[in-house]
């Protein structure tokens, strides 16, 4: 891939719940999140240019090795339950990017990291829900990258480091998860643990040296309320890839709120500088 006019930042976003952009009763309380996602797409416009593609690391896909979605026209994965019938007919028609999938595999393997491609995988809601807000015209090609089974944070940081050259090639790297993801805990009981873990994330990401930041993240499970915030860390590990791709760069909060309907404190971050418009 060719160079892009500017190095793109990377992002870790809290992607919201299920098919929320298509449900008025969910979209309204998530208006602050939606506004933040629109700002992300604006920030990632290098000199007014859209990214050449988006590489989304979704907390909803894991595989035995890091696996790049390689379909030219990915389908849809409705990995949620109990929602209205119309939310199982959603289509996010962004084209895939098979050449980018090959580039991702090559970069990972070049760093000694096992990697594969999957031509059958569709877009899950960790990708299509936030991107439908960021790029509603679906004009930017998109591919997903899986998490690696085992959830080793060091392996996900290393994958991010390997993928860093994509930032100079016009590829927007987005880690899509949630800074708090305990679906069994909502309401008043969620407030204290989610606030404690969120505060630790802000301190970890925004203070200290890059080396200290990465070292703290490797020990994330020792943070306050860590296993309450993430009984399973699938929604946290996309952060590791996004940060690894911009490991030496500043973290900036791009979204933060206490969600009234869940009691969760949630945040999103940018790594690196926004693009000039």
């Amino acid at each position: 891939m060719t160079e892009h006019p500017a190095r793109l930042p990377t992002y870790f976003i809290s992607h919201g719940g299920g098919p929320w952009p298509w449900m008025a009763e969910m979209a309204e309380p998530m208006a602050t999140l939606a506004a933040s996602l629109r700002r992300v797409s604006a920030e990632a416009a290098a000199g007014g240019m859209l990214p050449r593609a988006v590489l989304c690391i979704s907390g909803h896909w894991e595989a035995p090795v890091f696996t790049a979605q390689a379909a030219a026209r990915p389908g849809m994965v409705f990995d949620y339950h109990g929602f209205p019938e119309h939310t199982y007919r959603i289509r996010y028609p962004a084209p895939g990017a098979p050449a980018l999938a090959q580039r991702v595999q090559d970069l990972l393997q070049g760093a000694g990291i096992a990697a594969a491609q999957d031509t059958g995988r569709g877009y899950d809601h960790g990708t299509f829900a936030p991107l439908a807000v960021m790029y509603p015209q679906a004009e930017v090609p998109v591919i997903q990258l899986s998490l690696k089974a085992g959830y080793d944070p060091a392996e996900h940081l290393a994958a991010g480091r390997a993928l860093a050259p994509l930032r100079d090639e016009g590829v927007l790297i987005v880690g899509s998860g949630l800074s708090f993801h305990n679906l069994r805990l909502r309401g008043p009981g969620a407030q204290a643990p989610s606030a404690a873990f969120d505060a630790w994330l802000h301190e970890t990401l925004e203070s200290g040296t890059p080396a200290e930041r990465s070292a703290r993240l490797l020990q994330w499970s020792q943070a306050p309320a860590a296993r309450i915030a993430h009984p399973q860390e699938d929604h946290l590990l996309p952060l590791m890839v996004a940060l690894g791709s911009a490991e030496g760069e500043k973290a900036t909060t791009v979204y933060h709120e206490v969600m009234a309907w869940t009691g969760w404190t949630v945040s999103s971050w940018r790594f690196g500088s926004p693009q000039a418009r």
Side-chain angles (χ1 to χ4, degrees):
M1 299 180 72
T2 59
E3 290 187 359
H4 201 250
R7 173 171 292 178
L8 291 173
T10 72
Y11 292 85
F12 171 70
I13 60 169
S14 290
H15 65 224
W20 62 271
W22 291 269
M23 299 177 60
E25 64 270 36
M26 294 184 72
E28 183 175 350
M30 292 192 181
T32 301
L33 174 61
S36 77
L37 292 171
R38 288 189 288 268
R39 286 194 299 272
V40 166
S41 58
E43 288 181 355
M49 292 178 58
L50 290 173
R52 290 202 175 101
V54 175
L55 173 62
C56 186
I57 302 92
S58 170
H60 289 270
W61 183 24
E62 68 175 83
V65 299
F66 290 106
T67 301
Q69 180 188 52
R73 291 285 175 183
M76 305 292 288
V77 176
F78 301 118
D79 53 346
Y80 42 74
H81 305 282
F83 287 90
E85 190 273 337
H86 76 272
T87 65
Y88 298 90
R89 293 185 276 107
I90 292 167
R91 292 290 177 268
Y92 185 67
L100 176 57
Q102 184 63 57
R103 174 72 169 141
V104 166
Q105 184 179 24
D106 290 346
L107 285 170
L108 290 170
Q109 291 179 334
I113 300 169
Q117 297 183 40
D118 186 334
T119 58
R121 176 73 183 188
Y123 297 135
D124 60 53
H125 81 265
T127 294
F128 71 72
L131 288 181
V133 178
M134 293 169 61
Y135 300 106
Q137 303 304 312
E139 70 273 47
V140 179
V142 176
I143 75 166
Q144 290 190 204
L145 177 66
S146 77
L147 303 175
K148 182 179 181 293
Y151 295 156
D152 185 336
E155 291 182 327
H156 289 79
L157 277 169
R161 295 182 192 115
L163 297 171
L166 296 177
R167 299 174 57 206
D168 294 314
E169 299 169 6
V171 178
L172 178 62
I173 298 174
V174 176
S176 178
L178 276 167
S179 59
F180 181 91
H181 191 248
N182 184 339
L183 300 181
R184 296 180 180 273
L185 185 61
R186 299 171 186 262
Q191 292 175 0
S194 67
F197 187 72
D198 190 80
W200 181 87
L201 278 175
H202 281 274
E203 179 184 1
T204 294
L205 296 175
E206 298 169 24
S207 304
T209 67
E212 290 169 343
R213 178 172 64 182
S214 295
R216 281 170 64 97
L217 283 175
L218 291 178
Q219 303 298 320
W220 75 270
S221 62
Q222 298 177 21
R227 281 300 179 186
I228 299 174
H230 292 280
Q232 180 171 294
E233 55 266 43
D234 49 354
H235 277 58
L236 182 66
L237 284 175
L239 166 64
M240 311 298 180
V241 183
L243 173 63
S245 300
E247 198 167 18
E249 298 183 49
K250 180 181 177 180
T252 302
T253 302
V254 294
Y255 164 67
H256 176 75
E257 73 169 322
V258 180
M259 302 180 75
W261 63 299
T262 60
W264 298 358
T265 299
V266 288
S267 299
S268 302
W269 285 269
R270 181 186 70 239
F271 304 103
S273 301
Q275 302 306 295
R277 290 185 56 74

